[in-house]
Amino acid sequence: MTRISALGHHQPEHVMTNDDLGKLVDTSDEWIKKRTGIAARRIARDESVTDLAAAAAGKALAAAGVGPDAIGQVIVATCSAIDRVPSIAAQVAGRLGIPSAVTFDLNNGCAGFTTALATADHTVRAGAARHALVVGAEKMSDVTDWTDRSSCVLLGDGAGAAVVSAAEEDHIGPVVWGSDPSRGKTVRMLDAWQPRFSQDGQSVFRWATTELAPFARQACERAGIEPGELGGIVTHQANLRIIESLVRQIGAPQAVVAQDVVQSGNTSAASVPLALAKLVERREIPAGAPVLLFAFGGGLSWAGQVVRCP
């Protein structure tokens, strides 16, 4: 049995508003809000992906009351890390004094955190670790083309983390995950050594709003939860219009719906843990309530599960 024992999150201090972006490209606050729902995003000036990840992970460890020696696995989900070796996960373990865990980075685009959460869940269930640390961390500003108004208005920086622990009751449901690699070039990084985020926004919007809701409902079904019983829904914070469409199709009228995209923008693999950690911190979802986590993006990939709110 497994559970999320604690969460943590971290965002840079600098806020970039839509009006700020209007000084860089031909856009406006009205244009951005109408198409994406985004009002602002955080931009890391002096912090790296490792800095963001370690800050969020440290908060999660402290909240869980778990010592570094007890962590048997560290996974960092990221698609924006410039460092390849050592991994961001290894660097985070070093920062936090975790002595001998298996550490690796996982890149599944915006679905990275929910994929990593399932991986850690399986590790703990198999008895290979008693506690695992899972982080979603992105510095998307490093891979943003600030001359492309179709993408630069979307992206932000941040990190969220969770401690997955062995438990006496099951609080993490079975994962529903998959991919459609035939559409892999819809969301991509251009130029491997000087990467820049690129996507066909209209294709992604159509895919997310017409094809993904059945997978989200399937995650509820596998967890033995009716959508109407959900206390919360935390989807990838890509676009407010996508979030609202998915929630309508899932059919959970009583659920608290994360809308962190409004103030944080699209933080890729960090968006689900960042939004979930904020909801828990503000106690907008009661402890023990079922929450659907569902993320999607580059690959094209998706991954989701129902968890009990820590």
Side-chain angles (χ1 to χ4, degrees):
M1 307 281 186
T2 57
R3 65 187 177 100
I4 295 177
S5 52
L7 296 159
H9 67 91
H10 175 75
Q11 289 181 280
E13 291 185 4
H14 178 64
V15 177
M16 178 179 279
T17 66
N18 291 341
D19 289 332
D20 293 331
L21 279 169
K23 300 173 184 177
L24 300 177
V25 292
D26 181 17
T27 190
S28 67
D29 179 63
E30 180 183 6
W31 188 91
I32 297 170
K33 285 180 177 175
K34 182 178 180 180
R35 287 159 178 79
T36 71
I38 298 170
R41 70 285 297 144
R42 300 291 186 96
I43 301 297
R45 289 174 163 174
D46 301 318
E47 294 174 285
S48 66
V49 175
T50 300
D51 295 329
L52 299 170
K59 292 174 183 177
L61 275 185
V66 175
D69 290 355
I71 299 296
Q73 182 181 65
V74 180
I75 309 174
V76 173
T78 183
C79 66
S80 60
I82 304 302
D83 294 348
R84 288 170 168 78
V85 178
S87 67
I88 304 301
Q91 295 180 56
V92 168
R95 295 267 188 101
L96 299 181
I98 297 171
S100 59
V102 58
T103 60
F104 58 92
D105 294 347
L106 186 154
N107 181 358
N108 197 24
C110 301
F113 177 80
T114 46
T115 304
L117 179 63
T119 303
D121 171 52
H122 299 162
T123 296
V124 174
R125 287 180 187 276
R130 186 160 182 81
H131 301 279
L133 179 60
V134 186
V135 187
E138 302 282 17
K139 188 177 180 182
M140 297 303 292
S141 59
D142 270 353
V143 296
T144 297
D145 181 351
W146 294 104
T147 66
D148 176 14
R149 76 167 186 170
S150 68
S151 62
C152 74
V153 302
L154 301 173
L155 306 173
D157 303 335
V163 176
V164 175
S165 302
E168 295 182 359
E169 296 182 0
D170 235 349
H171 284 189
I172 300 178
V175 68
V176 172
W177 51 9
S179 67
D180 182 357
S182 68
R183 296 191 235 184
K185 292 184 179 180
T186 305
V187 180
R188 61 194 301 199
M189 292 285 185
L190 302 175
D191 190 345
W193 295 107
Q194 291 183 324
R196 289 294 178 265
F197 175 85
S198 175
Q199 72 170 5
D200 180 345
Q202 291 185 350
S203 294
V204 173
F205 184 88
R206 286 194 298 270
W207 172 70
T209 56
T210 61
E211 298 186 34
L212 293 181
F215 299 118
R217 290 196 297 269
Q218 188 179 8
C220 295
E221 181 181 346
R222 289 190 180 180
I225 296 290
E226 293 292 331
E229 299 177 86
L230 290 170
I233 297 177
V234 182
T235 69
H236 169 45
Q237 302 291 291
N239 177 310
L240 191 58
R241 293 162 62 203
I242 292 175
I243 294 169
E244 291 171 344
S245 175
L246 273 174
V247 170
R248 283 195 301 270
Q249 294 177 69
I250 292 167
Q254 305 303 318
V256 174
V257 178
Q259 297 185 348
D260 189 50
V261 66
V262 175
Q263 296 301 322
S264 299
N266 179 344
T267 56
S268 189
S271 76
V272 166
L274 183 61
L276 178 62
K278 288 182 179 181
L279 290 177
V280 171
E281 184 177 67
R282 296 192 296 260
R283 273 295 155 223
E284 293 186 30
I285 304 175
V291 180
L292 171 65
L293 309 181
F294 189 76
F296 49 88
L300 291 172
S301 301
W302 61 89
Q305 60 274 99
V306 174
V307 303
R308 293 284 174 176
C309 189

